[in-house]
Amino acid sequence: QVQLVESGGGLVQAGGSLRLSCAASGRTFSNYAMGWFRQAPGKEREFVAIVWSGGSTYYADSVKGRFTISRDNAKNTVLLQMNSLKPEDTAVYYCAAGQPTMSPRDMNYWGKGTLVTVSS
């Protein structure tokens, strides 16, 4: 079992930055790929970024070059540094643990989400 708790969301102006944090509990944290997904009102949940247990990272094209995902297995945390934010980044952001893919269906555990609002 892995329990995930996100923090760090909030309101920011376009061009600004936020850092999301995900705290995980569970002894098997390091075995899972850890990802960030987001869901905007009226839209489906979509992939943002993922970091595999070995450290490889992958990003959605829409955030590549602006967002950075990282993990600290010793501290059971995953971070998402978001720079140059745009209004279209507004969404609830979810931390997830699961298989090393980009599909929400392959994630086994989910946090409750944290809201990011980017004003224009």
Side-chain angles (χ1 to χ4, degrees):
Q1 281 281 1
V2 177
Q3 294 179 328
L4 305 171
V5 179
E6 303 97 335
S7 61
L11 174 64
V12 64
Q13 289 187 334
S17 298
L18 281 175
R19 189 177 74 167
L20 304 184
S21 180
C22 174
S25 62
R27 294 178 294 175
T28 59
F29 169 81
S30 61
N31 292 343
Y32 291 97
M34 298 298 299
W36 287 95
F37 296 78
R38 66 187 181 187
Q39 187 165 17
K43 295 188 176 182
E44 293 186 354
R45 193 167 298 189
E46 65 175 6
F47 167 76
V48 175
I50 194 166
V51 55
W52 292 5
S53 58
S56 298
T57 57
Y58 298 90
Y59 298 91
D61 288 342
S62 59
V63 307
K64 202 172 293 183
R66 299 188 297 123
F67 291 11
T68 302
I69 189 171
S70 61
R71 68 188 294 164
D72 185 334
N73 288 336
K75 296 181 179 179
N76 280 13
T77 57
V78 180
L79 301 177
L80 184 69
Q81 178 66 43
M82 305 186 295
N83 298 328
S84 302
L85 284 161
K86 304 176 181 179
E88 51 264 42
D89 294 319
T90 295
V92 176
Y93 283 70
Y94 297 90
C95 178
Q99 303 304 309
T101 75
M102 301 173 196
S103 172
R105 291 189 295 270
D106 293 328
M107 295 295 114
N108 301 104
Y109 304 101
W110 291 90
K112 293 184 178 180
T114 185
L115 177 62
V116 171
T117 303
V118 184
S119 63
S120 57

